[in-house]
């Protein structure tokens, strides 16, 4: 049977000074490249590279330039084509200057004051309106420019991305990239982030295994319970970031 090898990275936090003599994380990145090259020798080439958010540190253009250059090195090390990189945004991929704007902040506050189905209703209302959708998406503008090269940008029309990996055995791995950073600003705290249950409601289908990528784990979400219920009842593999700790839970 065909072997599926996916490299999961998260919270790589590139800054404008990444790669210069003051970069304290350069050694970690170099060691990671050595590690994945060694694993590739053992497991074979990777099918894809998956990054669950916080690619940048403050959502700036220069940070994404560094990230793109390094991800090309990762792809070379694991024998994966660059178009098979998949990314989702995290709270550090948000431009906080834009997220602190009066209109954007008011939209955030109105969503964070809601619970349950009211959150989905408000997200639908805001993304259906050109002005409010623009205000919510503006802080992710540089992320979207970066993500476009991988086909992973988000918009009011497509608030998540989805793609299929079809294996030779006939099984389809359906990946969905979720955004938990639409409501993100300087007041981000545990329990204040929003995902939207409509976006996690994957459709069950014969011969399909579902895989989701999201930056914030459910316990960080205001809509944690319904999101957890949808994910755990339908999604076979769930990848998260944010916590800067490695853990594997069998669903």
């Amino acid at each position: 049977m065909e072997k599926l090898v996916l490299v999961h990275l998260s919270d790589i936090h590139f800054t404008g000074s990444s790669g210069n003599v003051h970069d304290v994380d350069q050694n970690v990145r170099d060691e990671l490249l050595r590690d994945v090259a060694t694993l590739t020798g053992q497991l074979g080439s990777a099918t894809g590279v998956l990054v669950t958010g916080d690619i940048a540190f403050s959502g700036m253009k220069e940070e994404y330039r560094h990230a793109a250059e390094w991800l090309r090195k990762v792809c070379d090390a694991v024998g994966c084509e660059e178009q098979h990189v998949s990314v989702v945004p995290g709270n550090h991929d948000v431009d906080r200057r834009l997220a602190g704007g009066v209109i954007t902040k008011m939209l955030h506050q109105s969503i964070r004051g809601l619970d349950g189905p009211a959150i989905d209703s408000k997200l639908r209302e805001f993304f259906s309106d050109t002005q409010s959708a623009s205000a919510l998406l503006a802080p992710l503008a540089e992320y979207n420019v970066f993500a476009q090269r991988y086909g992973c940008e988000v918009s009011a029309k497509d608030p998540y991305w989805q793609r299929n990996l079809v294996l030779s055995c006939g099984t389809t791995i359906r990946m969905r990239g979720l955004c938990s950073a639409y409501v993100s600003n300087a007041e981000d705290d545990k329990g204040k982030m929003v995902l939207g249950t409509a976006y996690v409601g994957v459709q069950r289908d014969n011969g399909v295994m579902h895989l989701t990528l999201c930056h914030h784990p459910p316990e960080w979400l205001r809509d944690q319970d319904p999101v957890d219920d949808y994910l755990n009842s339908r999604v076979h593999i769930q990848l998260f970031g944010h916590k800067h700790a490695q853990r594997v839970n069998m669903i």
Side-chain angles (χ1 to χ4, degrees), residues 118-138:
I119 291 176
D120 284 285
S121 178
K122 187 61 69 175
L123 285 172
R124 183 171 60 251
E125 176 188 342
F126 286 163
F127 278 135
S128 299
D129 176 74
T130 302
Q131 287 184 312
S132 58
S134 177
L136 282 177
L137 289 165

Side-chain angles (χ1 to χ4, degrees), residues 4-242:
L4 181 69
V5 178
L6 298 170
V7 179
H8 176 208
L9 305 173
S10 194
D11 296 78
I12 52 181
H13 287 291
F14 277 86
T15 69
S17 61
S18 291
N20 69 21
V21 294
H22 304 291
D23 185 359
V24 296
D25 295 323
Q26 184 63 50
N27 182 62
V28 176
R29 287 193 289 271
D30 289 344
E31 288 297 308
L32 190 148
L33 288 173
R34 287 174 57 86
D35 286 347
V36 294
T38 300
L39 285 171
T40 299
Q42 299 170 2
L43 300 175
S45 297
T47 310
V49 176
L50 316 180
V51 189
T52 49
D54 279 4
I55 296 147
F57 186 75
S58 53
M60 298 288 105
K61 181 177 182 178
E62 185 68 7
E63 297 171 347
Y64 290 115
R65 184 180 68 79
H66 291 309
E69 291 174 354
W70 185 74
L71 285 172
R72 275 193 287 270
K73 295 179 182 178
V74 173
C75 288
D76 289 342
V78 301
C80 171
E81 296 183 16
E82 191 178 359
Q83 63 261 37
H84 293 153
V85 172
S86 299
V87 298
V88 294
N91 49 292
H92 278 276
D93 294 306
V94 168
D95 185 335
R96 291 291 176 89
R97 298 171 303 174
L98 297 177
V102 175
I103 295 176
T104 303
K105 197 169 182 180
M106 287 176 60
L107 296 176
H108 289 174
Q109 289 172 342
S110 67
I111 296 172
R112 282 177 169 168
L114 302 174
D115 290 301
I119 291 176
D120 284 285
S121 178
K122 187 61 69 175
L123 285 172
R124 183 171 60 251
E125 176 188 342
F126 286 163
F127 278 135
S128 299
D129 176 74
T130 302
Q131 287 184 312
S132 58
S134 177
L136 282 177
L137 289 165
L140 289 168
E142 291 299 339
Y143 162 81
N144 268 334
V145 172
F146 161 80
Q148 192 173 26
R149 76 193 70 199
Y150 311 118
C152 296
E153 66 273 25
V154 292
S155 66
K157 180 182 177 183
D158 297 303
Y160 59 85
W161 57 258
Q162 189 161 282
R163 60 180 53 153
N164 290 335
L165 291 174
V166 181
L167 305 184
S168 58
C169 63
T171 299
T172 294
I173 308 296
R174 184 161 296 155
M175 298 196 299
R176 180 175 292 194
L178 303 168
C179 177
S180 58
Y182 290 127
V183 183
S184 177
N185 54 35
E187 299 174 1
D188 289 353
D189 289 313
K190 195 171 186 178
K192 284 191 172 183
M193 311 309 294
V194 170
L195 184 54
T197 54
Y199 306 150
V200 301
V202 301
Q203 175 126 13
R204 284 192 289 251
D205 202 356
N206 292 337
V208 173
M209 291 186 66
H210 291 282
L211 183 157
T212 53
L213 291 78
C214 184
H215 180 65
H216 291 91
E219 65 263 29
W220 278 77
L221 303 176
R222 182 149 186 87
D223 45 354
Q224 174 185 352
D225 286 345
V227 166
D228 244 343
D229 289 343
Y230 267 105
L231 291 177
N232 290 335
S233 65
R234 302 187 181 190
V235 179
H236 304 81
I237 305 171
Q238 305 167 22
L239 302 180
F240 301 101
H242 191 62

